[in-house]
């Protein structure tokens, strides 16, 4: 019964929405996380403290609370005005029109992910020896160029594995947006079983979709890790069939010799 729902159009569209949410939120999280990580290494005290405050707030509040908060922002600020305080606003926007369920989901998940990505990126940046920065500065390279050409390429070996884990986690975290009626995989599943009462088969079908998507992402993560670890670790070129035969041979105990 579950297989009948796995290949249904509704679940396929829900899975596509889940994948879109994952990609967009991770792009927001990675871009803002890199910015925050660089801010936390700034020489300016105010810049460092602002980044620390951001990370403290978004890591300290549940992401579900953040989703509901953004979704209900119009109740607190019906009109969003942009401008200089005390003067006429440059732009006035209706919060109910701007903060749609999709926008609330993207804001909550993207901004929350940025706090975690900033820690991952910061750990990667700190893993690069300071001597390489000093050598690059002695050659006359600017800070931006050093970060782009020297530090980040080496830090990727440290950044990629946890970022892949965060991406897989984000794929599953998107299920929370069903509370604000975003048509992701879980919301579509709930909509269908509320009409058909086939709760367990539909949840199994949704789980199959989640497992399939996480498997694809895991394969992509493994390939990226292999690419950025070239030269750092010895690559095993033994064919996988030979490795399987070696592993299976370990399960066979040696045949005891007969005593004469």
């Amino acid at each position: 019964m579950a297989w009948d729902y796995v290949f249904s159009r509704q679940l396929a569209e829900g899975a596509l929405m889940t994948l879109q949410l994952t990609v967009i939120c991770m792009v927001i999280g990675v871009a803002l996380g890199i910015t925050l990580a660089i801010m936390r290494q700034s020489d300016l005290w105010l810049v460092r403290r602002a980044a620390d405050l951001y990370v403290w707030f978004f890591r300290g509040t549940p992401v579900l609370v953040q989703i509901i908060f953004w979704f209900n922002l119009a109740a607190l600020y019906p009109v969003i005005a942009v401008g200089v305080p005390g003067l006429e606003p440059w732009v006035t926007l209706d919060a109910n029109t701007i903060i749609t369920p999709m926008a609330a989901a993207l804001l909550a998940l993207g901004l929350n992910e940025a706090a975690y990505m900033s820690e991952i990126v910061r750990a990667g940046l700190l893993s690069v020896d300071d001597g390489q920065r000093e050598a690059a500065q002695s050659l006359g390279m600017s800070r931006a160029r050093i970060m782009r050409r020297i530090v980040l390429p080496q830090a990727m070996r440290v950044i990629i594995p946890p970022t892949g884990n965060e991406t897989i986690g984000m794929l599953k975290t998107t299920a929370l947006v069903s509370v604000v009626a975003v048509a992701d995989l879980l919301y579509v599943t709930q909509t269908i079983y509320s009409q058909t009462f086939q709760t367990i088969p539909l949840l199994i079908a949704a789980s199959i979709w989640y497992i399939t998507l996480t498997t694809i992402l895991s394969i992509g993560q493994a390939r990226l890790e292999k690419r950025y670890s070239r030269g750092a670790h010895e690559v095993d070129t033994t064919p996988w069939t030979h490795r399987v035969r070696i592993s299976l041979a370990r399960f066979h105990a040696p045949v005891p010799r007969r005593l004469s």
Side-chain angles (χ1 to χ4, degrees), residues 22-58:
T22 303
V23 172
I24 297 173
C25 292
M26 285 306 300
V27 169
I28 296 172
V30 170
L32 189 53
I34 293 174
T35 304
L36 289 169
I38 296 174
M39 288 174 62
R40 298 186 73 181
Q41 291 188 323
S42 173
D43 297 332
L44 300 176
W45 179 88
L46 185 61
V47 174
R48 293 199 310 271
R49 294 288 79 83
D52 290 339
L53 181 64
Y54 180 99
V55 174
W56 168 78
F57 176 80
F58 282 96

PDB file of all heavy atoms in Angstrom, residues 22-58:
ATOM      1  N   THR A  22      15.539  23.146   1.217  1.00  0.00           N
ATOM      2  CA  THR A  22      16.863  22.777   1.715  1.00  0.00           C
ATOM      3  C   THR A  22      17.952  23.565   1.009  1.00  0.00           C
ATOM      4  O   THR A  22      18.850  24.129   1.649  1.00  0.00           O
ATOM      5  CB  THR A  22      17.102  21.273   1.527  1.00  0.00           C
ATOM      6  OG1 THR A  22      16.070  20.538   2.198  1.00  0.00           O
ATOM      7  CG2 THR A  22      18.454  20.860   2.079  1.00  0.00           C
ATOM      8  N   VAL A  23      17.877  23.625  -0.316  1.00  0.00           N
ATOM      9  CA  VAL A  23      18.914  24.310  -1.093  1.00  0.00           C
ATOM     10  C   VAL A  23      18.930  25.799  -0.788  1.00  0.00           C
ATOM     11  O   VAL A  23      19.990  26.387  -0.505  1.00  0.00           O
ATOM     12  CB  VAL A  23      18.700  24.068  -2.601  1.00  0.00           C
ATOM     13  CG1 VAL A  23      19.645  24.929  -3.424  1.00  0.00           C
ATOM     14  CG2 VAL A  23      18.898  22.593  -2.938  1.00  0.00           C
ATOM     15  N   ILE A  24      17.761  26.439  -0.805  1.00  0.00           N
ATOM     16  CA  ILE A  24      17.707  27.893  -0.587  1.00  0.00           C
ATOM     17  C   ILE A  24      18.160  28.246   0.828  1.00  0.00           C
ATOM     18  O   ILE A  24      18.952  29.191   1.029  1.00  0.00           O
ATOM     19  CB  ILE A  24      16.284  28.426  -0.850  1.00  0.00           C
ATOM     20  CG1 ILE A  24      15.900  28.209  -2.314  1.00  0.00           C
ATOM     21  CG2 ILE A  24      16.194  29.909  -0.510  1.00  0.00           C
ATOM     22  CD1 ILE A  24      14.457  28.560  -2.626  1.00  0.00           C
ATOM     23  N   CYS A  25      17.695  27.496   1.815  1.00  0.00           N
ATOM     24  CA  CYS A  25      18.073  27.792   3.203  1.00  0.00           C
ATOM     25  C   CYS A  25      19.551  27.558   3.443  1.00  0.00           C
ATOM     26  O   CYS A  25      20.192  28.300   4.198  1.00  0.00           O
ATOM     27  CB  CYS A  25      17.241  26.946   4.154  1.00  0.00           C
ATOM     28  SG  CYS A  25      15.489  27.383   4.194  1.00  0.00           S
ATOM     29  N   MET A  26      20.131  26.537   2.816  1.00  0.00           N
ATOM     30  CA  MET A  26      21.562  26.297   2.986  1.00  0.00           C
ATOM     31  C   MET A  26      22.378  27.379   2.289  1.00  0.00           C
ATOM     32  O   MET A  26      23.444  27.775   2.794  1.00  0.00           O
ATOM     33  CB  MET A  26      21.924  24.924   2.436  1.00  0.00           C
ATOM     34  CG  MET A  26      21.508  23.758   3.320  1.00  0.00           C
ATOM     35  SD  MET A  26      22.108  23.874   5.033  1.00  0.00           S
ATOM     36  CE  MET A  26      23.887  23.917   4.792  1.00  0.00           C
ATOM     37  N   VAL A  27      21.917  27.879   1.151  1.00  0.00           N
ATOM     38  CA  VAL A  27      22.618  28.980   0.483  1.00  0.00           C
ATOM     39  C   VAL A  27      22.621  30.207   1.388  1.00  0.00           C
ATOM     40  O   VAL A  27      23.650  30.874   1.572  1.00  0.00           O
ATOM     41  CB  VAL A  27      21.975  29.291  -0.879  1.00  0.00           C
ATOM     42  CG1 VAL A  27      22.513  30.598  -1.443  1.00  0.00           C
ATOM     43  CG2 VAL A  27      22.230  28.154  -1.861  1.00  0.00           C
ATOM     44  N   ILE A  28      21.452  30.519   1.972  1.00  0.00           N
ATOM     45  CA  ILE A  28      21.371  31.653   2.908  1.00  0.00           C
ATOM     46  C   ILE A  28      22.275  31.411   4.113  1.00  0.00           C
ATOM     47  O   ILE A  28      23.032  32.290   4.541  1.00  0.00           O
ATOM     48  CB  ILE A  28      19.913  31.869   3.361  1.00  0.00           C
ATOM     49  CG1 ILE A  28      19.032  32.272   2.173  1.00  0.00           C
ATOM     50  CG2 ILE A  28      19.841  32.938   4.458  1.00  0.00           C
ATOM     51  CD1 ILE A  28      17.547  32.321   2.503  1.00  0.00           C
ATOM     52  N   GLY A  29      22.198  30.205   4.672  1.00  0.00           N
ATOM     53  CA  GLY A  29      22.981  29.888   5.857  1.00  0.00           C
ATOM     54  C   GLY A  29      24.475  29.929   5.609  1.00  0.00           C
ATOM     55  O   GLY A  29      25.235  30.479   6.425  1.00  0.00           O
ATOM     56  N   VAL A  30      24.929  29.378   4.481  1.00  0.00           N
ATOM     57  CA  VAL A  30      26.361  29.360   4.189  1.00  0.00           C
ATOM     58  C   VAL A  30      26.873  30.769   3.919  1.00  0.00           C
ATOM     59  O   VAL A  30      27.926  31.172   4.443  1.00  0.00           O
ATOM     60  CB  VAL A  30      26.645  28.431   2.986  1.00  0.00           C
ATOM     61  CG1 VAL A  30      28.080  28.592   2.511  1.00  0.00           C
ATOM     62  CG2 VAL A  30      26.377  26.978   3.366  1.00  0.00           C
ATOM     63  N   ALA A  31      26.150  31.541   3.113  1.00  0.00           N
ATOM     64  CA  ALA A  31      26.592  32.902   2.783  1.00  0.00           C
ATOM     65  C   ALA A  31      26.669  33.771   4.033  1.00  0.00           C
ATOM     66  O   ALA A  31      27.681  34.454   4.281  1.00  0.00           O
ATOM     67  CB  ALA A  31      25.646  33.525   1.756  1.00  0.00           C
ATOM     68  N   LEU A  32      25.610  33.733   4.837  1.00  0.00           N
ATOM     69  CA  LEU A  32      25.608  34.543   6.058  1.00  0.00           C
ATOM     70  C   LEU A  32      26.559  33.968   7.097  1.00  0.00           C
ATOM     71  O   LEU A  32      27.174  34.716   7.871  1.00  0.00           O
ATOM     72  CB  LEU A  32      24.181  34.616   6.614  1.00  0.00           C
ATOM     73  CG  LEU A  32      23.930  35.588   7.772  1.00  0.00           C
ATOM     74  CD1 LEU A  32      24.415  36.994   7.414  1.00  0.00           C
ATOM     75  CD2 LEU A  32      22.455  35.613   8.130  1.00  0.00           C
ATOM     76  N   GLY A  33      26.721  32.644   7.123  1.00  0.00           N
ATOM     77  CA  GLY A  33      27.641  32.018   8.076  1.00  0.00           C
ATOM     78  C   GLY A  33      29.083  32.404   7.811  1.00  0.00           C
ATOM     79  O   GLY A  33      29.855  32.650   8.753  1.00  0.00           O
ATOM     80  N   ILE A  34      29.478  32.471   6.533  1.00  0.00           N
ATOM     81  CA  ILE A  34      30.838  32.906   6.195  1.00  0.00           C
ATOM     82  C   ILE A  34      31.050  34.350   6.643  1.00  0.00           C
ATOM     83  O   ILE A  34      32.101  34.699   7.202  1.00  0.00           O
ATOM     84  CB  ILE A  34      31.081  32.753   4.681  1.00  0.00           C
ATOM     85  CG1 ILE A  34      31.092  31.273   4.290  1.00  0.00           C
ATOM     86  CG2 ILE A  34      32.392  33.418   4.275  1.00  0.00           C
ATOM     87  CD1 ILE A  34      31.172  31.035   2.799  1.00  0.00           C
ATOM     88  N   THR A  35      30.039  35.192   6.407  1.00  0.00           N
ATOM     89  CA  THR A  35      30.140  36.595   6.837  1.00  0.00           C
ATOM     90  C   THR A  35      30.299  36.702   8.348  1.00  0.00           C
ATOM     91  O   THR A  35      31.149  37.455   8.850  1.00  0.00           O
ATOM     92  CB  THR A  35      28.894  37.373   6.382  1.00  0.00           C
ATOM     93  OG1 THR A  35      28.740  37.249   4.968  1.00  0.00           O
ATOM     94  CG2 THR A  35      29.010  38.837   6.752  1.00  0.00           C
ATOM     95  N   LEU A  36      29.495  35.946   9.084  1.00  0.00           N
ATOM     96  CA  LEU A  36      29.578  35.989  10.543  1.00  0.00           C
ATOM     97  C   LEU A  36      30.919  35.459  11.044  1.00  0.00           C
ATOM     98  O   LEU A  36      31.492  35.991  12.008  1.00  0.00           O
ATOM     99  CB  LEU A  36      28.434  35.172  11.147  1.00  0.00           C
ATOM    100  CG  LEU A  36      27.031  35.770  11.012  1.00  0.00           C
ATOM    101  CD1 LEU A  36      25.979  34.735  11.401  1.00  0.00           C
ATOM    102  CD2 LEU A  36      26.896  37.012  11.883  1.00  0.00           C
ATOM    103  N   ALA A  37      31.427  34.397  10.400  1.00  0.00           N
ATOM    104  CA  ALA A  37      32.718  33.843  10.823  1.00  0.00           C
ATOM    105  C   ALA A  37      33.843  34.851  10.628  1.00  0.00           C
ATOM    106  O   ALA A  37      34.733  34.974  11.480  1.00  0.00           O
ATOM    107  CB  ALA A  37      33.001  32.560  10.034  1.00  0.00           C
ATOM    108  N   ILE A  38      33.805  35.579   9.515  1.00  0.00           N
ATOM    109  CA  ILE A  38      34.820  36.611   9.283  1.00  0.00           C
ATOM    110  C   ILE A  38      34.643  37.766  10.273  1.00  0.00           C
ATOM    111  O   ILE A  38      35.630  38.320  10.781  1.00  0.00           O
ATOM    112  CB  ILE A  38      34.733  37.111   7.832  1.00  0.00           C
ATOM    113  CG1 ILE A  38      35.075  35.973   6.861  1.00  0.00           C
ATOM    114  CG2 ILE A  38      35.666  38.298   7.605  1.00  0.00           C
ATOM    115  CD1 ILE A  38      34.880  36.323   5.400  1.00  0.00           C
ATOM    116  N   MET A  39      33.388  38.113  10.576  1.00  0.00           N
ATOM    117  CA  MET A  39      33.136  39.180  11.557  1.00  0.00           C
ATOM    118  C   MET A  39      33.673  38.793  12.934  1.00  0.00           C
ATOM    119  O   MET A  39      34.202  39.644  13.658  1.00  0.00           O
ATOM    120  CB  MET A  39      31.633  39.456  11.648  1.00  0.00           C
ATOM    121  CG  MET A  39      31.051  40.160  10.437  1.00  0.00           C
ATOM    122  SD  MET A  39      29.243  40.309  10.527  1.00  0.00           S
ATOM    123  CE  MET A  39      29.051  41.330  12.002  1.00  0.00           C
ATOM    124  N   ARG A  40      33.565  37.519  13.300  1.00  0.00           N
ATOM    125  CA  ARG A  40      34.029  37.085  14.618  1.00  0.00           C
ATOM    126  C   ARG A  40      35.541  37.070  14.723  1.00  0.00           C
ATOM    127  O   ARG A  40      36.087  36.933  15.825  1.00  0.00           O
ATOM    128  CB  ARG A  40      33.465  35.709  14.945  1.00  0.00           C
ATOM    129  CG  ARG A  40      31.940  35.697  15.021  1.00  0.00           C
ATOM    130  CD  ARG A  40      31.402  34.378  15.483  1.00  0.00           C
ATOM    131  NE  ARG A  40      31.637  34.181  16.901  1.00  0.00           N
ATOM    132  CZ  ARG A  40      31.275  33.085  17.561  1.00  0.00           C
ATOM    133  NH1 ARG A  40      30.674  32.097  16.927  1.00  0.00           N
ATOM    134  NH2 ARG A  40      31.530  32.967  18.849  1.00  0.00           N
ATOM    135  N   GLN A  41      36.239  37.200  13.592  1.00  0.00           N
ATOM    136  CA  GLN A  41      37.695  37.296  13.609  1.00  0.00           C
ATOM    137  C   GLN A  41      38.171  38.716  13.348  1.00  0.00           C
ATOM    138  O   GLN A  41      39.355  38.953  13.161  1.00  0.00           O
ATOM    139  CB  GLN A  41      38.297  36.361  12.560  1.00  0.00           C
ATOM    140  CG  GLN A  41      38.124  34.880  12.890  1.00  0.00           C
ATOM    141  CD  GLN A  41      38.896  33.984  11.947  1.00  0.00           C
ATOM    142  OE1 GLN A  41      38.989  34.252  10.758  1.00  0.00           O
ATOM    143  NE2 GLN A  41      39.462  32.923  12.485  1.00  0.00           N
ATOM    144  N   SER A  42      37.230  39.657  13.360  1.00  0.00           N
ATOM    145  CA  SER A  42      37.574  41.046  13.097  1.00  0.00           C
ATOM    146  C   SER A  42      38.343  41.648  14.265  1.00  0.00           C
ATOM    147  O   SER A  42      38.233  41.213  15.414  1.00  0.00           O
ATOM    148  CB  SER A  42      36.297  41.857  12.832  1.00  0.00           C
ATOM    149  OG  SER A  42      36.574  43.232  12.737  1.00  0.00           O
ATOM    150  N   ASP A  43      39.127  42.672  13.970  1.00  0.00           N
ATOM    151  CA  ASP A  43      39.858  43.396  15.016  1.00  0.00           C
ATOM    152  C   ASP A  43      38.962  44.390  15.749  1.00  0.00           C
ATOM    153  O   ASP A  43      39.357  44.905  16.808  1.00  0.00           O
ATOM    154  CB  ASP A  43      41.049  44.139  14.391  1.00  0.00           C
ATOM    155  CG  ASP A  43      42.063  43.185  13.778  1.00  0.00           C
ATOM    156  OD1 ASP A  43      42.166  42.037  14.261  1.00  0.00           O
ATOM    157  OD2 ASP A  43      42.748  43.579  12.807  1.00  0.00           O
ATOM    158  N   LEU A  44      37.784  44.674  15.190  1.00  0.00           N
ATOM    159  CA  LEU A  44      36.872  45.634  15.803  1.00  0.00           C
ATOM    160  C   LEU A  44      35.996  44.931  16.838  1.00  0.00           C
ATOM    161  O   LEU A  44      35.307  43.960  16.528  1.00  0.00           O
ATOM    162  CB  LEU A  44      36.000  46.301  14.728  1.00  0.00           C
ATOM    163  CG  LEU A  44      36.751  47.077  13.643  1.00  0.00           C
ATOM    164  CD1 LEU A  44      35.781  47.599  12.598  1.00  0.00           C
ATOM    165  CD2 LEU A  44      37.545  48.227  14.266  1.00  0.00           C
ATOM    166  N   TRP A  45      36.008  45.454  18.053  1.00  0.00           N
ATOM    167  CA  TRP A  45      35.264  44.832  19.155  1.00  0.00           C
ATOM    168  C   TRP A  45      33.771  44.812  18.873  1.00  0.00           C
ATOM    169  O   TRP A  45      33.098  43.805  19.105  1.00  0.00           O
ATOM    170  CB  TRP A  45      35.541  45.598  20.446  1.00  0.00           C
ATOM    171  CG  TRP A  45      34.807  45.046  21.641  1.00  0.00           C
ATOM    172  CD1 TRP A  45      35.224  44.063  22.483  1.00  0.00           C
ATOM    173  CD2 TRP A  45      33.513  45.445  22.109  1.00  0.00           C
ATOM    174  NE1 TRP A  45      34.286  43.816  23.445  1.00  0.00           N
ATOM    175  CE2 TRP A  45      33.227  44.655  23.250  1.00  0.00           C
ATOM    176  CE3 TRP A  45      32.577  46.392  21.689  1.00  0.00           C
ATOM    177  CZ2 TRP A  45      32.038  44.792  23.951  1.00  0.00           C
ATOM    178  CZ3 TRP A  45      31.392  46.517  22.389  1.00  0.00           C
ATOM    179  CH2 TRP A  45      31.136  45.720  23.507  1.00  0.00           C
ATOM    180  N   LEU A  46      33.224  45.918  18.352  1.00  0.00           N
ATOM    181  CA  LEU A  46      31.791  46.018  18.101  1.00  0.00           C
ATOM    182  C   LEU A  46      31.343  44.995  17.051  1.00  0.00           C
ATOM    183  O   LEU A  46      30.268  44.385  17.184  1.00  0.00           O
ATOM    184  CB  LEU A  46      31.436  47.441  17.650  1.00  0.00           C
ATOM    185  CG  LEU A  46      29.938  47.732  17.460  1.00  0.00           C
ATOM    186  CD1 LEU A  46      29.187  47.527  18.773  1.00  0.00           C
ATOM    187  CD2 LEU A  46      29.730  49.140  16.935  1.00  0.00           C
ATOM    188  N   VAL A  47      32.147  44.789  16.028  1.00  0.00           N
ATOM    189  CA  VAL A  47      31.800  43.817  14.985  1.00  0.00           C
ATOM    190  C   VAL A  47      31.801  42.402  15.560  1.00  0.00           C
ATOM    191  O   VAL A  47      30.896  41.608  15.280  1.00  0.00           O
ATOM    192  CB  VAL A  47      32.791  43.933  13.805  1.00  0.00           C
ATOM    193  CG1 VAL A  47      32.542  42.826  12.781  1.00  0.00           C
ATOM    194  CG2 VAL A  47      32.660  45.296  13.136  1.00  0.00           C
ATOM    195  N   ARG A  48      32.800  42.073  16.357  1.00  0.00           N
ATOM    196  CA  ARG A  48      32.859  40.742  16.981  1.00  0.00           C
ATOM    197  C   ARG A  48      31.676  40.504  17.891  1.00  0.00           C
ATOM    198  O   ARG A  48      31.055  39.431  17.872  1.00  0.00           O
ATOM    199  CB  ARG A  48      34.163  40.573  17.759  1.00  0.00           C
ATOM    200  CG  ARG A  48      35.414  40.543  16.921  1.00  0.00           C
ATOM    201  CD  ARG A  48      36.568  39.927  17.703  1.00  0.00           C
ATOM    202  NE  ARG A  48      36.723  40.522  19.021  1.00  0.00           N
ATOM    203  CZ  ARG A  48      37.465  41.592  19.277  1.00  0.00           C
ATOM    204  NH1 ARG A  48      38.112  42.197  18.282  1.00  0.00           N
ATOM    205  NH2 ARG A  48      37.578  42.085  20.489  1.00  0.00           N
ATOM    206  N   ARG A  49      31.331  41.492  18.703  1.00  0.00           N
ATOM    207  CA  ARG A  49      30.229  41.317  19.652  1.00  0.00           C
ATOM    208  C   ARG A  49      28.891  41.207  18.934  1.00  0.00           C
ATOM    209  O   ARG A  49      27.998  40.487  19.374  1.00  0.00           O
ATOM    210  CB  ARG A  49      30.201  42.491  20.636  1.00  0.00           C
ATOM    211  CG  ARG A  49      31.400  42.565  21.552  1.00  0.00           C
ATOM    212  CD  ARG A  49      31.388  41.459  22.624  1.00  0.00           C
ATOM    213  NE  ARG A  49      31.835  40.170  22.114  1.00  0.00           N
ATOM    214  CZ  ARG A  49      33.126  39.820  22.007  1.00  0.00           C
ATOM    215  NH1 ARG A  49      34.065  40.645  22.369  1.00  0.00           N
ATOM    216  NH2 ARG A  49      33.437  38.632  21.556  1.00  0.00           N
ATOM    217  N   ALA A  50      28.717  41.929  17.827  1.00  0.00           N
ATOM    218  CA  ALA A  50      27.472  41.835  17.053  1.00  0.00           C
ATOM    219  C   ALA A  50      27.305  40.422  16.490  1.00  0.00           C
ATOM    220  O   ALA A  50      26.210  39.844  16.532  1.00  0.00           O
ATOM    221  CB  ALA A  50      27.466  42.865  15.934  1.00  0.00           C
ATOM    222  N   ALA A  51      28.392  39.838  15.967  1.00  0.00           N
ATOM    223  CA  ALA A  51      28.334  38.471  15.450  1.00  0.00           C
ATOM    224  C   ALA A  51      28.082  37.473  16.575  1.00  0.00           C
ATOM    225  O   ALA A  51      27.310  36.519  16.418  1.00  0.00           O
ATOM    226  CB  ALA A  51      29.626  38.140  14.715  1.00  0.00           C
ATOM    227  N   ASP A  52      28.722  37.685  17.711  1.00  0.00           N
ATOM    228  CA  ASP A  52      28.511  36.797  18.869  1.00  0.00           C
ATOM    229  C   ASP A  52      27.060  36.848  19.335  1.00  0.00           C
ATOM    230  O   ASP A  52      26.475  35.817  19.694  1.00  0.00           O
ATOM    231  CB  ASP A  52      29.437  37.190  20.018  1.00  0.00           C
ATOM    232  CG  ASP A  52      30.893  36.861  19.723  1.00  0.00           C
ATOM    233  OD1 ASP A  52      31.133  36.002  18.848  1.00  0.00           O
ATOM    234  OD2 ASP A  52      31.779  37.466  20.348  1.00  0.00           O
ATOM    235  N   LEU A  53      26.483  38.046  19.346  1.00  0.00           N
ATOM    236  CA  LEU A  53      25.095  38.204  19.777  1.00  0.00           C
ATOM    237  C   LEU A  53      24.155  37.477  18.824  1.00  0.00           C
ATOM    238  O   LEU A  53      23.200  36.831  19.260  1.00  0.00           O
ATOM    239  CB  LEU A  53      24.745  39.696  19.848  1.00  0.00           C
ATOM    240  CG  LEU A  53      23.315  40.036  20.311  1.00  0.00           C
ATOM    241  CD1 LEU A  53      23.101  39.567  21.747  1.00  0.00           C
ATOM    242  CD2 LEU A  53      23.064  41.538  20.195  1.00  0.00           C
ATOM    243  N   TYR A  54      24.419  37.581  17.545  1.00  0.00           N
ATOM    244  CA  TYR A  54      23.590  36.884  16.548  1.00  0.00           C
ATOM    245  C   TYR A  54      23.640  35.381  16.792  1.00  0.00           C
ATOM    246  O   TYR A  54      22.602  34.714  16.841  1.00  0.00           O
ATOM    247  CB  TYR A  54      24.096  37.215  15.147  1.00  0.00           C
ATOM    248  CG  TYR A  54      23.313  36.546  14.038  1.00  0.00           C
ATOM    249  CD1 TYR A  54      22.338  37.238  13.347  1.00  0.00           C
ATOM    250  CD2 TYR A  54      23.551  35.216  13.670  1.00  0.00           C
ATOM    251  CE1 TYR A  54      21.616  36.636  12.319  1.00  0.00           C
ATOM    252  CE2 TYR A  54      22.837  34.609  12.659  1.00  0.00           C
ATOM    253  CZ  TYR A  54      21.877  35.315  11.992  1.00  0.00           C
ATOM    254  OH  TYR A  54      21.164  34.705  11.000  1.00  0.00           O
ATOM    255  N   VAL A  55      24.830  34.827  16.919  1.00  0.00           N
ATOM    256  CA  VAL A  55      24.976  33.381  17.124  1.00  0.00           C
ATOM    257  C   VAL A  55      24.320  32.952  18.431  1.00  0.00           C
ATOM    258  O   VAL A  55      23.638  31.925  18.500  1.00  0.00           O
ATOM    259  CB  VAL A  55      26.470  32.997  17.101  1.00  0.00           C
ATOM    260  CG1 VAL A  55      26.656  31.523  17.466  1.00  0.00           C
ATOM    261  CG2 VAL A  55      27.072  33.277  15.722  1.00  0.00           C
ATOM    262  N   TRP A  56      24.499  33.749  19.467  1.00  0.00           N
ATOM    263  CA  TRP A  56      23.912  33.424  20.774  1.00  0.00           C
ATOM    264  C   TRP A  56      22.394  33.355  20.693  1.00  0.00           C
ATOM    265  O   TRP A  56      21.776  32.436  21.227  1.00  0.00           O
ATOM    266  CB  TRP A  56      24.340  34.480  21.790  1.00  0.00           C
ATOM    267  CG  TRP A  56      23.578  34.423  23.083  1.00  0.00           C
ATOM    268  CD1 TRP A  56      23.755  33.542  24.106  1.00  0.00           C
ATOM    269  CD2 TRP A  56      22.488  35.282  23.467  1.00  0.00           C
ATOM    270  NE1 TRP A  56      22.849  33.804  25.116  1.00  0.00           N
ATOM    271  CE2 TRP A  56      22.060  34.856  24.749  1.00  0.00           C
ATOM    272  CE3 TRP A  56      21.842  36.359  22.861  1.00  0.00           C
ATOM    273  CZ2 TRP A  56      21.018  35.482  25.423  1.00  0.00           C
ATOM    274  CZ3 TRP A  56      20.809  36.981  23.535  1.00  0.00           C
ATOM    275  CH2 TRP A  56      20.412  36.536  24.804  1.00  0.00           C
ATOM    276  N   PHE A  57      21.785  34.298  19.998  1.00  0.00           N
ATOM    277  CA  PHE A  57      20.325  34.349  19.944  1.00  0.00           C
ATOM    278  C   PHE A  57      19.762  33.195  19.115  1.00  0.00           C
ATOM    279  O   PHE A  57      18.850  32.489  19.546  1.00  0.00           O
ATOM    280  CB  PHE A  57      19.865  35.691  19.360  1.00  0.00           C
ATOM    281  CG  PHE A  57      18.371  35.777  19.194  1.00  0.00           C
ATOM    282  CD1 PHE A  57      17.555  36.059  20.284  1.00  0.00           C
ATOM    283  CD2 PHE A  57      17.771  35.559  17.958  1.00  0.00           C
ATOM    284  CE1 PHE A  57      16.176  36.128  20.137  1.00  0.00           C
ATOM    285  CE2 PHE A  57      16.400  35.633  17.809  1.00  0.00           C
ATOM    286  CZ  PHE A  57      15.596  35.906  18.902  1.00  0.00           C
ATOM    287  N   PHE A  58      20.276  33.001  17.906  1.00  0.00           N
ATOM    288  CA  PHE A  58      19.675  32.014  17.017  1.00  0.00           C
ATOM    289  C   PHE A  58      20.013  30.573  17.413  1.00  0.00           C
ATOM    290  O   PHE A  58      19.272  29.661  17.073  1.00  0.00           O
ATOM    291  CB  PHE A  58      20.101  32.283  15.572  1.00  0.00           C
ATOM    292  CG  PHE A  58      19.335  33.414  14.941  1.00  0.00           C
ATOM    293  CD1 PHE A  58      19.860  34.692  14.917  1.00  0.00           C
ATOM    294  CD2 PHE A  58      18.088  33.205  14.393  1.00  0.00           C
ATOM    295  CE1 PHE A  58      19.159  35.747  14.347  1.00  0.00           C
ATOM    296  CE2 PHE A  58      17.370  34.245  13.822  1.00  0.00           C
ATOM    297  CZ  PHE A  58      17.905  35.516  13.802  1.00  0.00           C
TER     298      PHE A  58
END
